[in-house]
């Protein structure tokens, strides 16, 4: 019943996602994002042109930051170096830098979600002003210091709460993106031996402007759009508009070419793009912070779906009716007495009919028992089992009341009635001698 494990984690840890987001906007996170951008756009790096010392320095910075945040790095500090032959020019030498956060599911942890952002920008040139040649540096604050900064802070969040992610998540800074997405192509076709285990790619490119313009481009992939809709069901500080038009071409195109479902996030087109006016002054760090929080929730959603998104709808896949779907992964979730929130089942059934075992009271036994069960296609509760035990006395009582449940309305995926799995935490509490309570019940 591995499919159900995430529901337990999401339910018991859900409080962190239902608090207001207002306190985030003035937090240290915005200041950290700005620190990243200030470093990446330093004049010393001369616009980070592909193959330059500036691109190399930023790659090392990303490496050190990801490593500090707990990401298991797969490249050396200087990155994974590759060469790009160019007709009539010297070979360009660039680099990717990446690592991963291990997922918790023993099977799905061998599958990957890639979160990427490009390292390079246009570099520098000169312009004539009043007859004088003046240097011009393309700092690329939004293109793409914004994506790199958010990617690094997102990695920190995922590493901190890795117990919420079934699949493993790779975080990567792509080199030579401005050279026909060469870094992304190299990663997929030459460097990463498990590229066939990548289930989806999330691209962050130019996401530093107002969150009201936040958008997601999926190339109209039906499954990716469904996962975007799933993410909407959580409390979110901002929601992207699904766009049918690509804001800018970027590294996600290399993943499309490899037939890996991808989503490109952006805050859209802007006047300063590819100019020397693309500096830190145009960025909205409060919006970047809200976008970062959304991306954490979206990454968690896609890392936990039972069935990976398909590149095309005609691609053969397991029949939906034969899969046990996690509650979280259903288009129409199972409902108990008309309500889909498992807390309603706890409040209106479990905590109404459960009995605290007398022997457990005498022995002072208390704690939280996690129970997973399947809601069959006819709505019956079957195959209940304890996944987190406290004591056989409490375990048995928790199973008794769950197994006695009335029928639910079963879940649906793509309009088909399916079996679904749910995990709930049942709380046994002792207060005073001979007194007790159950979880949320007063």
């Amino acid at each position: 019943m591995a499919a159900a494990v995430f529901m337990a984690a999401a339910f018991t840890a859900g409080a962190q996602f239902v608090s207001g987001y207002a306190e985030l906007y003035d937090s240290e996170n915005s200041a950290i994002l700005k620190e990243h951008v200030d470093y990446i756009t330093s004049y010393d790096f001369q616009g980070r042109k592909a193959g330059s010392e500036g691109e190399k320095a930023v790659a090392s910075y990303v490496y050190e930051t990801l490593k500090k945040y707990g990401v298991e790095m797969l490249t050396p500090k200087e990155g994974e170096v590759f060469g790009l032959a160019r007709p009539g020019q010297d070979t360009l030498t660039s680099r990717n830098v990446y690592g991963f956060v291990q997922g918790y599911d023993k099977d799905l942890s061998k599958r990957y979600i890639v979160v990427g952002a490009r390292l390079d920008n246009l570099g520098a040139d000169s312009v004539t002003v009043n007859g004088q040649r003046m240097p011009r540096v393309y700092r690329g604050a939004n293109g793409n210091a914004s994506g790199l900064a958010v990617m690094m802070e997102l990695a920190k969040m995922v590493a901190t709460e890795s117990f919420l992610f079934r699949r493993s998540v790779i975080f990567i800074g792509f080199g030579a993106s401005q050279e026909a997405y060469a870094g992304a192509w190299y990663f997929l076709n030459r460097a990463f031996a498990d590229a066939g285990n990548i289930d989806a790619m999330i691209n962050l490119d130019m996401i530093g402007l107002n969150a009201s313009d936040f958008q997601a481009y999926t190339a109209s992939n039906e499954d990716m759009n469904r996962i975007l809709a799933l993410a909407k069901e959580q409390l979110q500080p901002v929601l992207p508009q699904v766009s049918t038009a690509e804001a800018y071409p970027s590294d996600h195109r290399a993943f499309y070419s490899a037939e890996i479902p991808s989503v490109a996030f952006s805050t859209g087109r802007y006047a300063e793009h590819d100019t020397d006016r693309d500096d830190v002054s145009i960025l909205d760090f409060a919006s970047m912070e809200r976008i970062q929080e959304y991306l954490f929730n979206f990454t968690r959603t896609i890392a936990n779906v039972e069935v990976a998104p398909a590149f095309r709808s005609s691609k053969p896949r397991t029949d939906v009716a034969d899969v046990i779907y996690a509650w979280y992964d259903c288009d129409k979730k199972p409902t108990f007495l008309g309500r889909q929130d498992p807390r309603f089942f706890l409040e209106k059934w479990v905590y109404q009919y459960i009995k605290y075992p007398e022997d457990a009271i005498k022995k002072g036994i208390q704690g939280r028992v996690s129970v997973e069960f399947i809601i069959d296609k006819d709505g019956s509760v079957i195959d209940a089992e304890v996944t987190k035990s406290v004591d056989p006395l409490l375990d048995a009582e928790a199973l008794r009341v769950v197994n006695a449940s009335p029928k639910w309305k079963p879940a649906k995926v793509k309009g088909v009635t399916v079996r679904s799995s749910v995990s709930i935490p049942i709380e046994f509490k002792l207060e005073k001698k001979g007194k007790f309570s159950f979880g949320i019940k007063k």
Side-chain angles (χ1 to χ4, degrees), residues 270-286:
Y270 61 109
E272 298 82 2
H273 179 238
D274 283 355
T275 74
D276 59 346
R277 301 189 308 278
D278 187 355
D279 59 32
V280 69
S281 67
I282 73 170
L283 298 188
D284 184 337
F285 289 100

Side-chain angles (χ1 to χ4, degrees), residues 1 3 26 56 77 80 82 146 157 160 167 204-205 215 220 249 262-263 276 304 308 326 328 330 332 360 384 434 438:
M1 294 178 63
D26 229 359
K56 179 180 179 180
K77 179 181 177 180
E80 187 171 63
F82 60 89
S146 60
M157 295 175 74
T160 300
R167 286 172 177 81
L204 311 181
D205 202 343
Q215 60 186 256
S220 300
S262 307
V263 55
D276 59 346
N304 290 309
Y328 191 81
C330 300
K332 289 189 176 181
F438 300 107

